[in-house]
Amino acid sequence: MRTKLLVLGVASLLLSVEGVRAAPAAFHQAYVASVSAQADAKLANSGVILPDGMVKVRGVLSGDRLQNVHLAESTGDLAADRAVEQALRRLKVAPVPAELAGRQVTLTLGAQPIVQARTP
């Protein structure tokens, strides 16, 4: 009986530790999503028109900025590529969490494709 209680206690402790680890990951995903939304808004406010409606960029999170922004994939239009990089240069964002400082992120900006699934 004691062994069962001990095993159950250890299992619940391990599950609670896993929950603690999941919380920062969810927070980091939410933070990167907010940076992506800020970058989308900056492109819209700058009047940048994306030929395909979407663009992928990479940048480094540092302090309260997205720095060293460059295209991960070209839009196929050199003028649009330059406009994206110029608009997002040193994008001001919410203060970067310590765990994400100095990390490179890839953001997909613009209209997101609609994914549909059919039920047979």
Side-chain angles (χ1 to χ4, degrees):
M1 185 66 165
R2 286 184 180 176
T3 304
K4 286 183 182 180
L5 288 175
L6 179 61
V7 169
L8 288 175
V10 169
S12 64
L13 181 61
L14 287 174
L15 287 175
S16 66
V17 167
E18 208 46 49
V20 169
R21 280 192 215 154
F27 173 74
H28 295 161
Q29 288 175 348
Y31 178 81
V32 172
S34 75
V35 169
S36 184
Q38 290 173 335
D40 266 329
K42 179 73 173 184
L43 288 180
N45 291 338
S46 298
V48 176
I49 297 172
L50 302 172
D52 293 331
M54 287 189 346
V55 66
K56 282 188 177 183
V57 297
R58 284 196 183 101
V60 177
L61 296 169
S62 179
D64 63 349
R65 303 271 179 192
L66 180 64
Q67 298 184 347
N68 303 328
V69 176
H70 61 278
L71 270 67
E73 295 176 13
S74 174
T75 62
D77 180 344
L78 185 58
D81 290 351
R82 287 183 178 159
V84 167
E85 288 181 340
Q86 184 64 33
L88 298 180
R89 182 163 298 171
R90 295 186 42 81
L91 175 69
K92 187 160 175 59
V93 297
V96 177
E99 299 86 6
L100 295 178
R103 296 260 176 110
Q104 185 179 62
V105 293
T106 301
L107 308 173
T108 302
L109 307 174
Q112 299 296 318
I114 297 173
V115 179
Q116 295 179 344
R118 292 186 184 186
T119 308

